[in-house]
Structure formats: structure tokens, C-alpha cells
């Protein structure tokens, strides 16, 4: 039997100071979209067309992430397409 691998979270580095607020918002939006895309892929949603806004927002609730905006939902679908879906 295969043993379960223990994955530790990477250490967080502080974000660079002095950048425009828009940069921080985009950075956090990309992180949120990536977490949601990974969760959707893990749950079996491999095609972007099946990742509706409703499905993405439902997954956000299940994972414990704040409700994503329409822009973030589009970004999630873009990540799924980039993954090959």
C-alpha cells in the first residue's frame, strides 16, 4: 500500500511594499482563482464550459473562500483552459 504524502504549505513571504493598490488586488484575485481552479479540477470539473459561475461560487463556499466576482470566475475558467480543459 502506498503511504499518504504529507504536503506542507509553503512559507508566505511578505508582499513588496510601495506598489499600486491595483497590483495587490490583481495578485490576490489570481491566488483566489488558482485555489478555486485547483478545487474544481480535484472535484472532476475538467472543462471550462462546465465551470459556471454558480458552480465556482458553490465551490468557494465549500472551500471557505469569499464569494468570487464575475472577473474572478472568468479567471478560474482561464486557468482550467490553460490546464488543458
Amino acid at each position: 500500500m502506498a503511504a499518504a504524502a504529507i504536503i506542507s504549505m509553503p512559507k508566505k513571504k511578505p508582499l513588496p511594499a510601495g506598489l499600486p493598490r491595483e497590483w495587490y488586488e490583481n495578485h490576490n484575485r489570481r491566488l483566489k482563482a488558482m485555489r478555486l481552479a485547483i478545487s474544481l479540477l480535484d472535484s472532476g470539473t475538467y472543462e471550462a464550459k462546465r465551470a459556471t459561475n454558480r458552480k465556482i461560487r458553490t465551490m468557494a463556499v465549500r472551500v471557505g473562500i469569499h464569494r468570487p466576482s464575475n472577473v474572478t470566475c472568468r479567471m478560474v475558467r482561464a486557468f482550467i483552459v490553460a490546464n488543458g480543459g
Side-chain angles (χ1 to χ4, degrees):
M1 285 214 170
I6 298 174
I7 300 173
S8 61
M9 294 297 292
K11 292 184 180 180
K12 291 186 178 183
K13 298 177 189 174
L15 293 175
L19 296 173
R21 180 177 178 84
E22 182 179 304
W23 185 90
Y24 298 104
E25 290 171 356
N26 288 333
H27 174 75
N28 288 328
R29 186 184 310 272
R30 285 191 303 268
L31 291 177
K32 179 188 247 183
M34 182 61 75
R35 285 194 301 269
L36 287 169
I38 290 168
S39 297
L40 285 166
L41 290 168
D42 287 345
S43 71
T45 304
Y46 302 113
E47 297 177 8
K49 66 182 179 184
R50 294 186 183 265
T52 62
N53 286 0
R54 176 181 234 162
K55 190 171 214 173
I56 293 169
R57 289 179 176 136
T58 301
M59 181 58 69
V61 170
R62 290 168 75 192
V63 177
I65 299 174
H66 285 275
R67 183 179 189 272
S69 66
N70 290 339
V71 175
T72 305
C73 290
R74 279 195 302 269
M75 199 175 284
V76 169
R77 284 189 286 277
F79 280 131
I80 291 173
V81 168
N83 186 56

